[in-house]
Amino acid sequence: AGAARIETSLKLADQLKELLGVEKFDTVVVASAMNFPDALTGSYLAAAKNAPILLTASGFEAEVNAYIAANLKEGGTVYVLGGESAVPSELLSGVSGVKRLAGDDRFGTNLAILNEVGVPRGQNILVCTAFGFADSLSASATGMPIR
């Protein structure tokens, strides 16, 4: 646990490194600490890439960016979930390897995430409301794609 959700996400990332037995990640996923939809639908991407989900917000960019610099392999990918209103580019100033997955809204971002992972046609997916987090949070533990 951390003092706040952002610090907790960094500590969880350290635990994931330990569980995976790696020194650095090939991929990290970054989502807004202020709203839940992109991070929840990004849980499938994170699982598929063996990547942590790091939360960020204005005022925490130095801490998150330092973590990325210290824990992402050279040439690694930083997936940023959501558009500029969710995670403004200035929050990732100096971070390289950024690939933004975004749509016009949370539904479009969800589709961009699922397309990036390459969810095969016909694969089972979980359908949850986009306006409350409880169902999606419970469903994310299954490791299945969420729509």
Side-chain angles (χ1 to χ4, degrees):
R5 62 186 81 178
I6 293 169
E7 187 178 307
T8 298
S9 76
L10 301 178
K11 290 184 180 224
L12 286 169
D14 284 338
Q15 288 294 309
L16 181 59
K17 276 195 319 184
E18 192 173 306
L19 287 170
L20 294 172
V22 299
E23 299 260 338
K24 294 187 176 193
F25 295 108
D26 294 320
T27 305
V28 297
V29 177
V30 177
S32 171
M34 308 316 289
N35 208 352
F36 68 89
D38 298 339
L40 276 173
T41 60
S43 66
Y44 182 68
L45 171 67
K49 300 289 185 178
N50 289 322
I53 298 177
L54 306 179
L55 301 178
T56 193
S58 182
F60 294 92
E61 56 267 48
E63 185 177 2
V64 174
N65 294 353
Y67 187 91
I68 293 169
N71 292 282
L72 181 67
K73 290 180 181 176
E74 187 174 328
T77 302
V78 179
Y79 286 106
V80 178
L81 306 182
E84 285 290 326
S85 62
V87 180
S89 293
E90 58 264 15
L91 292 183
L92 295 165
S93 179
V95 174
S96 60
V98 171
K99 182 171 186 176
R100 187 176 291 273
L101 300 178
D104 291 337
D105 53 25
R106 62 183 63 180
F107 306 102
T109 296
N110 175 254
L111 288 175
I113 291 166
L114 295 178
N115 286 333
E116 180 66 24
V117 178
V119 176
R121 183 175 292 281
Q123 178 176 336
N124 289 335
I125 63 171
L126 299 167
V127 179
C128 302
T129 181
F131 300 106
F133 68 89
D135 294 341
S136 296
L137 182 60
S138 297
S140 69
T142 67
M144 293 175 62
I146 299 171
R147 173 74 176 117

